[in-house]
Amino acid sequence: MFRTGVIAAATAAALSGFAGTAGANPADPVAQFSPTLTRVPGPNCAAIINAETVPQPQSGAFGVRVKITQTGEFCGAYYLTVHWRNVDTGLSSGQSQRLEGTGVVGLPDNVITGIGMGPGAGKVEAWIDTYSEVYPQNVDLEHMAGRTTFTLG
C-alpha cells in the first residue's frame, strides 16, 4: 500500500511539473518569422532576412536561425536585433548580433541564442529590426520588421 502511494505521488509530481524539465518542451513549435526586408549600408545594398525559432535545451527559452539573401556591392556590416515580449507575463527584452554579408558574426549555423532569449513559458511575440553602428549613436536602417507569435512551454 505504501509503495503504491509513493508511485502515485511521483507520477502526479512528474505530470504536474514538480519533477522539473530535462530539456526543451517537445510541444515548443518551430515558428517562422515573416521576412524582414532591410536596406544595408553601402551603395544599392539590401537584404531579405528569413528566420525561424530554434527550440533550446532549457524550458522557456528560444533561439533564432537566420538565412540572409543580400544584394549590392561593397555592402557594409550591420546589426540585427531580435526583440521579444511575453504576452502572459509582460516581460520583454532582446538581443543584437552583428551581420556581415550573409552570416551572423561569431555564431555557428547563424543561430542566435543567449541571455536575451529567455522569456519563460507563455505566449511570445517576437520581431526583428536592423540598425547600423554609426558614431555617435546607432541609426535604424530602413526596414520592414519580420514578426512571429508562438507559445513556449
Side-chain angles (χ1 to χ4, degrees):
M1 192 69 158
F2 177 75
R3 181 182 291 170
T4 304
V6 170
I7 293 171
T11 302
L15 291 174
S16 65
F18 293 122
T21 58
N25 188 337
D28 288 350
V30 172
Q32 301 291 323
F33 284 75
S34 60
T36 300
L37 309 174
T38 187
R39 290 194 186 253
V40 175
N44 297 317
C45 293
I48 300 169
I49 302 167
N50 290 299
E52 66 183 6
T53 60
V54 178
Q56 295 299 293
Q58 63 277 18
S59 183
F62 70 102
V64 174
R65 177 180 289 114
V66 297
K67 182 180 179 207
I68 304 161
T69 304
Q70 185 170 297
T71 62
E73 295 182 24
F74 310 109
C75 301
Y78 60 105
Y79 288 81
L80 170 147
T81 303
V82 178
H83 301 275
W84 58 260
R85 182 173 75 89
N86 186 317
V87 176
D88 297 332
T89 65
L91 292 173
S92 63
S93 188
Q95 183 169 323
S96 296
Q97 295 295 144
R98 183 178 169 93
L99 303 178
E100 291 180 2
T102 60
V104 180
V105 175
L107 295 178
D109 301 324
N110 284 346
V111 176
I112 300 167
T113 60
I115 45 177
M117 306 302 269
K123 183 177 179 182
V124 178
E125 297 175 338
W127 61 99
I128 296 173
D129 289 332
T130 58
Y131 70 92
S132 180
E133 193 174 58
V134 179
Y135 181 80
Q137 64 186 22
N138 297 332
V139 175
D140 287 338
L141 294 172
E142 187 177 359
H143 69 276
M144 292 176 57
R147 297 181 174 279
T148 191
T149 302
F150 54 95
T151 301
L152 292 174

